[in-house]
């Protein structure tokens, strides 16, 4: 049962990460799908690095919390948050600054429009980093599965609704709006539900 509870959000995350591309294809056109797909790949690079830190810290935090060592738990979360957010903010602004020059250089002139999409997707790096530290170092080790599941499902629903509204109007940029809103909703829900701890 505990593994099944953690498996549901994994499916939801994969669905709503894939949902953008599928919905752009259905509600817009292949050009917009290609622009979004390539922009998303660039933004995922730093989030992969930062997510790996959370994966490494999860067993350590679970062990510390199982031992009831609140002081070490708080210290690790604080240190991880400072390190991860330092990396995330640097990478986020670094990518945003070079995005419009980088896209045509890396993908070719046909993908010049991917530059602004990359730039506007970069807040995902910060939001993913924050969410990852809170989730892997507090929510999961503290067995607050309900908070985790609701946050992910909330993000998926917001992404779906906003994609339906904005993709027909703005194409790939509409998916950016939905994605940012979904990540921000997860950020807000997780933060509000763990703020006292």
């Amino acid at each position: 049962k505990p593994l099944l509870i953690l498996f549901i959000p994994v499916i939801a995350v994969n669905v709503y990460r894939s949902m953008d591309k599928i919905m752009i294809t259905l509600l817009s056109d292949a050009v917009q799908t290609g622009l979004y797909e390539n922009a998303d790949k660039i933004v995922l690079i730093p989030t992969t690095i930062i997510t790996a830190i959370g994966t490494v810290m999860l067993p350590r935090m679970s062990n510390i919390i199982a031992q009831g060592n609140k002081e070490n738990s708080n210290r690790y979360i604080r240190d991880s948050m400072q390190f991860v957010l330092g990396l995330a903010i640097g990478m986020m602004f670094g990518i945003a600054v070079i995005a419009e020059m980088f896209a045509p250089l890396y993908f070719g002139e046909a993908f010049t429009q991917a530059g602004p999409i990359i730039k506007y997707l970069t807040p995902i790096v910060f939001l993913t980093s924050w969410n990852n530290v809170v989730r892997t170092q507090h929510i999961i080790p503290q067995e607050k599965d309900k908070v985790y599941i609701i946050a992910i499902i909330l993000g998926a629903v917001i992404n779906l609704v906003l994609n339906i509204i904005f993709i027909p109007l703005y194409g790939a940029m509409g998916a950016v709006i939905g994605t940012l809103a979904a990540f921000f909703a997860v950020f807000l829900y997780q933060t509000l539900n763990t703020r006292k701890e």
Side-chain angles (χ1 to χ4, degrees), residues 1-191:
K1 186 181 173 187
L3 291 177
L4 184 62
I5 288 168
L6 293 177
F7 184 64
I8 293 166
V10 171
I11 293 171
V13 167
N14 286 324
V15 165
Y16 91 74
R17 290 296 295 159
S18 304
M19 185 171 30
D20 293 335
K21 295 158 198 126
I22 294 166
M23 291 183 78
I24 294 170
T25 303
L26 294 173
L27 300 173
S28 188
D29 58 41
V31 173
Q32 294 296 309
T33 305
L35 293 171
Y36 186 85
E37 174 100 30
N38 287 309
D40 191 48
K41 285 178 186 173
I42 297 301
V43 175
L44 278 179
I45 294 168
T47 60
T48 304
I49 296 164
I50 291 166
T51 303
I53 295 167
T55 304
V56 169
M57 289 299 295
L58 177 60
R60 178 81 178 140
M61 291 301 291
S62 297
N63 185 35
I64 289 169
I65 288 168
Q67 293 172 358
N69 194 336
K70 184 93 170 137
E71 188 179 312
N72 267 352
S73 168
N74 289 340
R75 183 172 57 84
Y76 275 119
I77 290 174
R78 184 188 65 243
D79 292 349
S80 294
M81 192 65 86
Q82 288 175 350
F83 178 71
V84 165
L85 292 183
L87 280 176
I89 290 168
M91 288 191 257
M92 178 180 78
F93 283 113
I95 292 170
V97 166
I98 66 163
E100 293 190 32
M101 294 179 294
F102 177 78
L105 185 69
Y106 186 75
F107 297 118
E109 289 298 321
F111 289 91
T112 301
Q113 290 178 313
I117 297 168
I118 294 170
K119 183 166 66 173
Y120 293 119
L121 273 176
T122 57
I124 288 173
V125 177
F126 173 83
L127 295 170
T128 299
S129 303
W130 180 284
N131 292 343
N132 188 269
V133 171
V134 172
R135 179 177 58 247
T136 60
Q137 295 184 40
H138 182 72
I139 292 174
I140 294 173
Q142 293 278 356
E143 298 178 1
K144 295 179 182 272
D145 301 329
K146 186 177 176 184
V147 172
Y148 178 40
I149 291 170
I150 291 172
I152 297 300
I153 292 172
L154 177 68
V157 169
I158 287 172
N159 196 22
L160 175 68
V161 170
L162 292 181
N163 280 350
I164 290 169
I165 295 168
F166 290 114
I167 289 174
L169 299 172
Y170 305 114
M173 276 300 187
V176 170
I177 294 167
T179 301
L180 287 176
F183 274 88
F184 185 76
V186 171
F187 160 81
L188 197 60
Y189 187 82
Q190 287 185 168
T191 303

